[in-house]
Amino acid sequence: MIGRKRISALFLTFAATLALPGAAWADTLVDNVTGIRVEAGGTVERFAAMLIDDAGKVKRLYRQGEKLPKDADYRIDGKGRVLLPGFIDSHVHLSGMGFAAIGLDLSDTTSLPGALTRIADYARRNPQKAWIIGSGWNEVSWGLNRMPTAAELDAAVGDRPVWLMRADGHAGWANTAALARAGITAKTAAPGGGRIIKGADGAPSGMLIDAATSLVESKLPAPLPEERDIAIRKAQDLLLARGVTAVSDMGTTLLDWQSIRREADLGRLHLRVAAYAAGVDDMVVIAGPGPSPWLYGDRLKLTGLKLYLDGALGSRGAWLTRPYADVPDETGLQRLSGTQLRNLMSRAAMDDFQVAIHAIGDAANREALDAIEEMGGSYPGDRRWRIEHAQVVAPEDIARFGALNVIASMQPHHQVSDRTMAEARLSPDRLAGAYAWRSLAAGGGRLAFGSDAPVEVPDVFEGLADAITRQDAKGEPFGGWQPQEVVTREAALAAYTAGGAYAMGADKRFGTLAKGEWADFVFVTVDPMLAQPATLRQGRVLETWIAGHKVWSANDAPTDMPQGR
């Protein structure tokens, strides 16, 4: 038998272990900070210290000059640094982001020859790969007024199939070997919601749009579970380094969910993930009769269903009410019929799953709003319908976001990177409702900002600068593009924090640093309420904390830690 003294000693040792700072079992005071918290409506409150309880939640904020507690078990000196709520990216693709980071990334290529050289070099360095798979290319960035071809890709790699997704994720570039592997010939018809671009002779050019990409993707070798785990881990590392503490993962598959859960089971999941299933089958298999509870200390939840109503503007898959200005016989792609859309929305809503609809063109946004309005009668209450991107909205439809309580989940940097392309795709009279952040908010729509990573780098400082200027890093165009759509600094920060939490149904859990919420915060180099746009754009994260635990530090990061994709 163990003696009473021995039991007492073991208990005291155990209690002392729980009280270690890393375990967050005791109150911790974070003081000497330039703290900023924000409400969903854009109200900003400054504070000088924050008390975190033993569970890792905010216990109290202290303004400058207020008496601080003397009985806090631990103290962290903020050294006067700016402290903000952890950033929330309301639209990412976790596995896509991770695979892009560890695979063939063409996002920084500036010419077609340069891209072909990189592709050929990658193939030479990876002779064991049966397929060459990559992403990130953009013909607009190359100064190319057309899509690339299979013949051009054959010149770089002709001995095995190559499949490269465009930066927007809505078009794929295949070489001849990949087309052959997929059985795509001049006689192949495109599936509904997709397009196979063909040459004058009727032969496939190598470019597949939206739903047609599945013809090749169905032939790709499936990643091994360990490869998927590495991709998820890589995506998390990149997001934490950017100060992103929570994301909406758009298009989560069962395999993605299993990988995220494996990371959580091993204690490696720090990021908070609200998952939106890639389809009804994934939704039902993952969560069953309704949304899952928040798991792993509010770090993972199957929240809803992601639907694609159209494609992307750059690849002319966005569904427009009038033809493209640069291709007069094209109006884009409607990927779901009105009946299909409503049936899928109803299937999700009947079990209380949240619905997030990808809609970029003005026709797609109108159809999404029409469907939401019709669904409202059958499924009343706090549904938090989401429209993802909402890039081009007819001016007469803008007020409907507010009237229908629709969340506009938008990506500020899309406006900057798409500007010249959007001007080419649309006539000037159709730009009034393009990337219309201010108008949507003024009409009562709720804004939630994100990056669409890996389409864009999840850089919140860049996004904040884009939102308040509508200019690029060079300050162009002078005065901002459609400057009437800039938002205030407070509104922009709210859309990257409190607005993101609301969009995923996590308000009152995290996002604002209010009392009782998780203490998710970041130390940063700039004050977003005061910094000039150029300085704001150069802002960096120094430390990232989740639930009162430091999960990333610039001082501890490897020197070769990528800060982008």
Side-chain angles (χ1 to χ4, degrees):
M1 295 180 64
I2 302 177
R4 183 175 298 175
K5 291 184 179 180
R6 176 61 172 162
I7 293 174
S8 178
L10 287 171
F11 174 81
L12 290 173
T13 301
F14 178 67
T17 301
L18 292 180
L20 289 173
W25 283 94
D27 285 357
T28 299
L29 180 68
V30 184
D31 68 353
N32 190 19
V33 301
T34 303
I36 300 173
R37 66 174 298 272
V38 60
E39 296 286 357
T43 303
V44 169
E45 176 187 352
R46 288 188 176 270
F47 61 93
M50 175 172 59
L51 188 64
I52 303 171
D53 69 16
D54 60 358
K57 295 186 176 183
V58 177
K59 195 168 184 177
R60 184 179 168 183
L61 300 180
Y62 296 85
R63 294 187 179 184
Q64 188 70 42
E66 281 192 287
K67 186 176 181 180
L68 301 180
K70 296 181 178 180
D71 58 349
D73 299 273
Y74 300 97
R75 175 181 176 268
I76 296 169
D77 183 359
K79 302 176 182 178
R81 296 174 295 179
V82 176
L83 185 154
L84 303 174
F87 300 138
I88 298 176
D89 193 313
S90 292
H91 191 116
V92 304
H93 305 277
L94 277 179
S95 63
M97 186 181 175
F99 281 120
I102 62 178
L104 172 56
D105 182 9
L106 301 172
S107 60
D108 61 349
T109 57
T110 57
S111 69
L112 176 59
L116 293 173
T117 297
R118 182 174 298 182
I119 295 162
D121 179 64
Y122 182 86
R124 279 194 298 271
R125 290 186 288 105
N126 293 276
Q128 78 285 359
K129 291 186 179 291
W131 281 70
I132 299 301
I133 301 170
S135 62
W137 62 271
N138 186 340
E139 82 288 351
V140 177
S141 301
W142 298 341
L144 205 63
N145 293 321
R146 60 172 177 82
M147 292 293 190
T149 67
E152 288 165 326
L153 196 47
D154 290 343
V157 181
D159 62 337
R160 52 195 146 150
V162 181
W163 178 243
L164 307 168
M165 287 300 292
R166 191 177 184 273
D168 60 12
H170 288 268
W173 179 20
N175 69 350
T176 299
L179 293 172
R181 190 71 61 90
I184 299 172
T185 69
K187 297 180 179 180
T188 303
R195 183 185 304 129
I196 300 172
I197 297 181
K198 297 181 179 180
D201 59 355
S205 72
M207 190 59 49
L208 307 178
I209 310 297
D210 285 309
T213 61
S214 64
L215 299 176
V216 172
E217 288 175 339
S218 63
K219 307 299 180 182
L220 299 179
L224 296 172
E226 52 266 38
E227 293 173 328
R228 193 174 296 275
D229 293 353
I230 290 170
I232 293 295
R233 205 174 307 143
K234 184 66 172 179
Q236 175 178 248
D237 290 344
L238 294 172
L239 289 163
L240 295 178
R242 293 287 185 181
V244 176
T245 56
V247 298
S248 289
D249 185 38
M250 288 294 163
T252 310
T253 67
L254 174 61
L255 294 176
D256 293 333
W257 177 265
Q258 290 174 323
S259 184
I260 297 170
R261 289 209 63 167
R262 282 195 293 272
E263 291 301 295
D265 289 340
L266 293 171
R268 294 195 296 231
L269 180 65
H270 304 298
L271 189 70
R272 301 192 191 280
V273 181
Y276 292 77
V280 168
D281 289 345
D282 286 307
M283 179 185 81
V284 173
V285 171
I286 292 170
S292 75
W294 280 99
L295 306 170
Y296 305 104
D298 289 352
R299 280 180 171 79
L300 179 62
K301 179 179 182 178
L302 196 290
T303 300
L305 175 67
K306 167 74 180 298
L307 300 174
Y308 282 95
L309 189 48
D310 68 344
L313 198 62
S315 48
R316 299 187 185 86
W319 180 27
L320 303 177
T321 55
R322 288 188 281 156
Y324 281 82
D326 53 356
V327 182
D329 60 345
E330 290 286 354
T331 57
L333 295 168
Q334 181 181 1
R335 298 186 62 174
L336 294 171
S337 70
T339 299
Q340 289 172 322
L341 174 64
R342 286 157 178 79
N343 285 343
L344 291 169
M345 291 173 67
S346 182
R347 175 63 186 85
M350 67 188 295
D351 285 337
D352 293 325
F353 289 99
Q354 188 184 13
V355 176
I357 306 170
H358 167 113
I360 288 183
D362 54 357
N365 277 282
R366 178 170 296 168
E367 181 69 14
L369 290 166
D370 287 347
I372 289 169
E373 186 169 11
E374 293 172 29
M375 289 287 112
S378 301
Y379 304 102
D382 188 13
R383 293 288 168 174
R384 303 196 186 184
W385 309 100
R386 296 178 57 146
I387 293 183
E388 304 302 312
H389 310 304
Q391 281 183 217
V392 183
V393 180
E396 59 268 29
D397 288 330
I398 287 176
R400 299 178 69 194
F401 278 77
L404 299 171
N405 296 314
V406 176
I407 296 162
S409 171
M410 306 179 77
Q411 300 74 43
H413 198 62
H414 279 347
Q415 179 269 308
V416 174
S417 59
D418 290 357
R419 175 173 61 85
T420 56
M421 177 272 293
E423 291 174 336
R425 300 286 186 269
L426 304 171
S427 53
D429 64 304
R430 298 160 70 185
L431 296 175
Y435 315 87
W437 314 316
R438 190 184 190 96
S439 293
L440 286 164
R446 288 179 175 266
L447 295 180
F449 282 165
S451 65
D452 200 11
V455 177
E456 306 282 7
V457 176
D459 187 334
V460 175
F461 295 109
E462 184 174 56
L464 290 169
D466 295 337
I468 66 173
T469 66
R470 293 177 75 89
Q471 294 175 313
D472 63 19
K474 297 178 182 178
E476 298 177 353
F478 178 77
W481 188 76
Q482 302 286 332
Q484 73 278 5
E485 294 299 342
V486 298
V487 297
T488 66
R489 293 169 183 265
E490 294 83 357
L493 183 59
Y496 273 116
T497 53
Y502 178 87
M504 63 174 65
D507 44 319
K508 296 184 174 57
R509 292 178 183 270
F510 50 84
T512 74
L513 292 180
K515 180 180 178 180
E517 289 187 358
W518 290 109
D520 299 351
F521 60 94
V522 290
F523 284 114
V524 300
T525 59
V526 296
D527 185 331
M529 297 297 104
L530 301 175
Q532 291 297 313
T535 303
L536 179 58
R537 204 176 288 277
Q538 296 302 314
R540 291 292 178 266
V541 173
L542 300 171
E543 294 175 3
T544 303
W545 293 65
I546 296 178
H549 297 258
K550 183 164 62 176
V551 296
W552 186 87
S553 171
N555 291 334
D556 300 330
T559 55
D560 61 347
M561 176 72 179
Q563 295 291 297
R565 286 176 176 82

PDB file of all heavy atoms in Angstrom, residues 123 162 379 382 416 435 538 549 554:
ATOM      1  N   ALA A 123       9.745  18.386 -62.998  1.00  0.00           N
ATOM      2  CA  ALA A 123       9.616  17.014 -63.504  1.00  0.00           C
ATOM      3  C   ALA A 123      10.959  16.293 -63.483  1.00  0.00           C
ATOM      4  O   ALA A 123      11.031  15.105 -63.122  1.00  0.00           O
ATOM      5  CB  ALA A 123       9.045  17.039 -64.921  1.00  0.00           C
ATOM      6  N   VAL A 162       0.487  15.646 -67.092  1.00  0.00           N
ATOM      7  CA  VAL A 162       0.662  16.861 -66.290  1.00  0.00           C
ATOM      8  C   VAL A 162      -0.712  17.505 -66.104  1.00  0.00           C
ATOM      9  O   VAL A 162      -1.489  17.626 -67.057  1.00  0.00           O
ATOM     10  CB  VAL A 162       1.610  17.867 -66.970  1.00  0.00           C
ATOM     11  CG1 VAL A 162       1.783  19.114 -66.097  1.00  0.00           C
ATOM     12  CG2 VAL A 162       2.967  17.224 -67.264  1.00  0.00           C
ATOM     13  N   TYR A 379     -37.678  27.616 -43.899  1.00  0.00           N
ATOM     14  CA  TYR A 379     -36.656  27.429 -42.865  1.00  0.00           C
ATOM     15  C   TYR A 379     -36.364  28.773 -42.201  1.00  0.00           C
ATOM     16  O   TYR A 379     -35.340  29.406 -42.459  1.00  0.00           O
ATOM     17  CB  TYR A 379     -35.388  26.834 -43.477  1.00  0.00           C
ATOM     18  CG  TYR A 379     -35.638  25.544 -44.199  1.00  0.00           C
ATOM     19  CD1 TYR A 379     -35.721  25.503 -45.597  1.00  0.00           C
ATOM     20  CD2 TYR A 379     -35.836  24.357 -43.492  1.00  0.00           C
ATOM     21  CE1 TYR A 379     -35.975  24.310 -46.259  1.00  0.00           C
ATOM     22  CE2 TYR A 379     -36.096  23.168 -44.156  1.00  0.00           C
ATOM     23  CZ  TYR A 379     -36.169  23.153 -45.532  1.00  0.00           C
ATOM     24  OH  TYR A 379     -36.430  21.973 -46.189  1.00  0.00           O
ATOM     25  N   ASP A 382     -32.495  31.849 -37.398  1.00  0.00           N
ATOM     26  CA  ASP A 382     -31.135  32.350 -37.593  1.00  0.00           C
ATOM     27  C   ASP A 382     -30.337  31.384 -38.456  1.00  0.00           C
ATOM     28  O   ASP A 382     -29.522  30.600 -37.958  1.00  0.00           O
ATOM     29  CB  ASP A 382     -30.466  32.534 -36.228  1.00  0.00           C
ATOM     30  CG  ASP A 382     -29.114  33.235 -36.327  1.00  0.00           C
ATOM     31  OD1 ASP A 382     -28.813  33.787 -37.398  1.00  0.00           O
ATOM     32  OD2 ASP A 382     -28.367  33.209 -35.340  1.00  0.00           O
ATOM     33  N   VAL A 416      -8.011  43.741 -55.815  1.00  0.00           N
ATOM     34  CA  VAL A 416      -6.729  44.274 -56.260  1.00  0.00           C
ATOM     35  C   VAL A 416      -6.133  43.405 -57.373  1.00  0.00           C
ATOM     36  O   VAL A 416      -5.714  43.914 -58.417  1.00  0.00           O
ATOM     37  CB  VAL A 416      -5.753  44.378 -55.071  1.00  0.00           C
ATOM     38  CG1 VAL A 416      -4.359  44.782 -55.543  1.00  0.00           C
ATOM     39  CG2 VAL A 416      -6.277  45.391 -54.055  1.00  0.00           C
ATOM     40  N   TYR A 435     -17.223  43.975 -56.263  1.00  0.00           N
ATOM     41  CA  TYR A 435     -16.452  44.041 -55.025  1.00  0.00           C
ATOM     42  C   TYR A 435     -16.991  45.198 -54.154  1.00  0.00           C
ATOM     43  O   TYR A 435     -16.236  45.993 -53.605  1.00  0.00           O
ATOM     44  CB  TYR A 435     -14.962  44.224 -55.308  1.00  0.00           C
ATOM     45  CG  TYR A 435     -14.444  43.318 -56.405  1.00  0.00           C
ATOM     46  CD1 TYR A 435     -14.502  43.694 -57.741  1.00  0.00           C
ATOM     47  CD2 TYR A 435     -13.929  42.060 -56.107  1.00  0.00           C
ATOM     48  CE1 TYR A 435     -14.047  42.848 -58.753  1.00  0.00           C
ATOM     49  CE2 TYR A 435     -13.465  41.211 -57.108  1.00  0.00           C
ATOM     50  CZ  TYR A 435     -13.535  41.613 -58.430  1.00  0.00           C
ATOM     51  OH  TYR A 435     -13.090  40.774 -59.426  1.00  0.00           O
ATOM     52  N   GLN A 538       2.848  46.432 -44.690  1.00  0.00           N
ATOM     53  CA  GLN A 538       4.100  45.778 -44.284  1.00  0.00           C
ATOM     54  C   GLN A 538       4.010  45.176 -42.885  1.00  0.00           C
ATOM     55  O   GLN A 538       5.004  44.667 -42.365  1.00  0.00           O
ATOM     56  CB  GLN A 538       5.246  46.783 -44.336  1.00  0.00           C
ATOM     57  CG  GLN A 538       5.551  47.309 -45.726  1.00  0.00           C
ATOM     58  CD  GLN A 538       5.887  46.204 -46.704  1.00  0.00           C
ATOM     59  OE1 GLN A 538       6.674  45.307 -46.394  1.00  0.00           O
ATOM     60  NE2 GLN A 538       5.296  46.252 -47.893  1.00  0.00           N
ATOM     61  N   HIS A 549      -2.557  30.172 -25.005  1.00  0.00           N
ATOM     62  CA  HIS A 549      -1.301  29.457 -25.241  1.00  0.00           C
ATOM     63  C   HIS A 549      -0.592  30.073 -26.451  1.00  0.00           C
ATOM     64  O   HIS A 549      -1.224  30.312 -27.486  1.00  0.00           O
ATOM     65  CB  HIS A 549      -1.543  27.979 -25.529  1.00  0.00           C
ATOM     66  CG  HIS A 549      -2.168  27.238 -24.399  1.00  0.00           C
ATOM     67  ND1 HIS A 549      -1.453  26.426 -23.560  1.00  0.00           N
ATOM     68  CD2 HIS A 549      -3.451  27.175 -23.984  1.00  0.00           C
ATOM     69  CE1 HIS A 549      -2.262  25.887 -22.667  1.00  0.00           C
ATOM     70  NE2 HIS A 549      -3.490  26.333 -22.909  1.00  0.00           N
ATOM     71  N   ALA A 554       7.557  34.544 -34.052  1.00  0.00           N
ATOM     72  CA  ALA A 554       8.542  34.866 -35.081  1.00  0.00           C
ATOM     73  C   ALA A 554       9.947  34.543 -34.603  1.00  0.00           C
ATOM     74  O   ALA A 554      10.817  34.180 -35.400  1.00  0.00           O
ATOM     75  CB  ALA A 554       8.432  36.344 -35.451  1.00  0.00           C
TER      76      ALA A 554
END
